[in-house]
Amino acid sequence: MVSLAAALGACTHERNGPVSDHYADFQVDAPNKNTVSVCHAYTCKMRTKFRFTDADIDELRAIFKKVKKGDTAAEERRAVAYAVGWMETRVGKVIGTDKDRPGMDFEASGDPTQMDCVDESTNTTSYMLVMQNNGLLKYHTVGTPFSKDQLWKGVAGWTHWTAVLKETSNSQRWAVDSWIYANGENPAVVEVDKWYIKDLDSLPVAAK
């Protein structure tokens, strides 16, 4: 069930159910082991299956080992950001979304090379579930995507979706937003309360 709550001047469309509810809402198959259904063409109009191979999973393990500078939750989030960027690149070269532009272009709806925030949040969730299913997440679990909007601001306050990581030690939720940047760039990772509190032109920077 989606409930509405005022938060930091924005309308937050919160999901209280499991991650599977998000996939059901947008009629997308949830990940099956290392196979994901990749959303593209805006609002999951197109869904293309992609399987991460054993070699791909080994590469993800190598990314986590290389990027993490310490055994902490913060370093794990940093590794997740790099891993999501790598997975976007890997998938994009195969299914044709490697030219996905940052942000939103209303004329791109239906274009199989482009993704909106629903596509991006769904795909990022799927990629993080692959990480989780392969034991790469020690300090987090994958949360349910949610959205915020400030529609009274017009296009600048348009409804925006994000994937979510939940820190296990304190239940802090982190927005993992890959929509802001072009395909393959690291997503932004920021506390959900600090994510999208002004407008689409004032979103957080990519995690490095």
Side-chain angles (χ1 to χ4, degrees):
M1 182 178 292
V2 177
S3 63
L4 304 181
L8 297 175
C11 290
T12 302
H13 303 259
E14 198 71 71
R15 273 184 168 83
N16 297 318
V19 181
S20 58
D21 287 356
H22 178 82
Y23 292 104
D25 284 347
F26 292 101
Q27 299 180 328
V28 181
D29 290 336
N32 180 12
K33 297 182 179 178
N34 295 331
T35 298
V36 297
S37 187
V38 183
C39 286
H40 50 128
Y42 279 38
T43 320
C44 296
K45 285 187 178 72
M46 296 184 68
R47 299 170 293 278
T48 301
K49 293 290 186 182
F50 182 92
R51 185 179 76 85
F52 291 100
T53 65
D54 290 345
D56 291 333
I57 302 303
D58 287 343
E59 181 62 27
L60 288 175
R61 295 187 192 282
I63 289 171
F64 268 72
K65 184 176 180 179
K66 178 181 178 180
V67 172
K68 289 175 68 176
K69 296 180 179 179
D71 188 15
T72 67
E75 287 299 310
E76 183 168 276
R77 291 190 294 275
R78 184 168 170 267
V80 166
Y82 277 86
V84 168
W86 182 87
M87 294 169 93
E88 282 193 352
T89 299
R90 174 76 174 90
V91 172
K93 290 179 179 178
V94 175
I95 74 169
T97 55
D98 54 326
K99 299 298 190 296
D100 178 48
R101 298 183 292 274
M104 186 170 184
D105 177 355
F106 286 99
E107 295 182 356
S109 180
D111 183 340
T113 71
Q114 300 299 305
M115 300 178 182
D116 68 357
C117 61
V118 173
D119 298 329
E120 295 274 14
S121 61
T122 305
N123 296 340
T124 297
T125 300
S126 294
Y127 299 156
M128 294 192 302
L129 283 171
V130 170
M131 298 177 210
Q132 180 173 282
N133 293 341
N134 282 278
L136 291 172
L137 301 184
K138 176 180 177 181
Y139 294 103
H140 302 83
T141 57
V142 179
T144 303
F146 78 104
S147 66
K148 287 183 181 180
D149 62 49
Q150 301 177 82
L151 296 179
W152 58 90
K153 293 185 177 181
V155 173
W158 204 259
T159 303
H160 186 32
W161 286 85
T162 182
V164 172
L165 272 181
K166 185 176 180 181
E167 195 169 344
T168 54
S169 66
N170 56 17
S171 297
Q172 171 65 54
R173 292 186 306 147
W174 298 83
V176 184
D177 189 354
S178 56
W179 171 85
I180 309 170
Y181 304 102
N183 181 81
E185 294 189 37
N186 289 0
V189 182
V190 64
E191 299 98 318
V192 295
D193 290 341
K194 297 180 181 178
W195 173 77
Y196 193 22
I197 59 176
K198 186 177 180 182
D199 55 41
L200 290 176
D201 295 323
S202 303
L203 292 168
V205 299
K208 297 296 184 184

